[in-house]
Amino acid sequence: MKPIVQAFATGVLVSSLIILAVYMLSNPSQNVQDVAQEEETLIVEDAKKFLVDEGFSVIEDSEYDDLIREKQQLEKEVSDFKEEQSKLKEELNEIEEESSSNEAEESESNNQPSSESEYLLSIESGMTSIDIAQNLETANIVDDADQFNNFLEDNGYSRLIQLGEYRISNDATYEEIAQIITN
């Protein structure tokens, strides 16, 4: 019985070697690559999980490149806005300088003594308060004939106007003019 057991054991050994050889020869590199890739995936996932747990952000290269492009675009926009702001400030300064120089010229002209002149107003029979106001406006004694006429009517002076000739200064107020022509 010994030779039968030996032959059976040899058959089992040879068949096992044949199965191993067929298995190894059929896709040996595929099996090794699969195992290596699976180990790498586990290592990368473990590393990402560890970094996230430690408070870091993990992003892909494409996301990083997108963020860099967006940052550059925003920096360019900020630069453009700063240039525009600078131009607007220069324009504002120019406008303020012009305004202040105009105000200075106006204040100088206002500080100069005005040439005081008088007008000889002649009020004749049949003249109305509007006629008088228009004569005074023509002579540059009052700025607005309608406004002066309204003043006379509102304050009751239009009914008290006296005939005659009156000397009226160009710096007289409405009240002063009304007092002169109603006395």
Side-chain angles (χ1 to χ4, degrees):
M1 176 105 194
K2 189 175 178 181
I4 293 176
V5 171
Q6 284 178 344
F8 180 72
T10 303
V12 170
L13 181 64
V14 169
S15 64
S16 294
L17 289 174
I18 291 173
I19 291 174
L20 179 64
V22 169
Y23 178 74
M24 291 302 275
L25 291 176
S26 67
N27 266 335
S29 61
Q30 181 68 25
N31 293 333
V32 172
Q33 286 178 351
D34 288 345
V35 170
Q37 191 175 19
E38 192 174 304
E39 286 178 3
E40 183 180 326
T41 303
L42 290 175
I43 292 171
V44 170
E45 288 177 7
D46 290 341
K48 284 182 180 178
K49 185 175 185 294
F50 173 76
L51 290 172
V52 170
D53 289 344
E54 291 296 317
F56 292 95
S57 296
V58 180
I59 60 173
E60 299 291 324
D61 285 341
S62 61
E63 291 177 280
Y64 178 75
D65 292 340
D66 291 342
L67 289 173
I68 293 296
R69 279 193 293 276
E70 187 176 340
K71 177 187 174 215
Q72 290 170 344
Q73 182 181 4
L74 290 173
E75 286 174 344
K76 183 181 181 309
E77 289 178 10
V78 167
S79 174
D80 292 346
F81 284 132
K82 285 183 179 179
E83 288 177 16
E84 183 69 23
Q85 182 183 23
S86 174
K87 288 178 184 177
L88 290 173
K89 282 183 180 179
E90 288 175 8
E91 290 177 10
L92 180 62
N93 288 339
E94 289 174 7
I95 291 171
E96 288 175 349
E97 287 174 6
E98 289 176 9
S99 175
S100 65
S101 68
N102 288 345
E103 289 175 2
E105 289 175 5
E106 287 178 12
S107 66
E108 286 177 12
S109 66
N110 289 341
N111 290 338
Q112 294 176 353
S114 61
S115 58
E116 188 174 316
S117 65
E118 288 186 348
Y119 174 68
L120 182 62
L121 175 65
S122 178
I123 301 176
E124 299 171 357
S125 178
M127 287 182 75
T128 63
S129 62
I130 190 65
D131 295 332
I132 296 168
Q134 287 174 346
N135 285 346
L136 291 173
E137 181 181 24
T138 303
N140 291 325
I141 302 297
V142 295
D143 294 330
D144 186 354
D146 291 330
Q147 188 177 5
F148 180 67
N149 184 52
N150 290 338
F151 172 81
L152 291 175
E153 289 178 2
D154 291 344
N155 293 298
Y157 290 114
S158 62
R159 289 176 277 139
L160 304 174
I161 296 174
Q162 301 293 316
L163 301 177
E165 291 186 352
Y166 304 98
R167 291 205 175 275
I168 301 174
S169 172
N170 66 344
D171 62 348
T173 65
Y174 287 178
E175 182 70 31
E176 292 170 340
I177 297 171
Q179 290 293 325
I180 293 170
I181 62 177
T182 58
N183 283 341

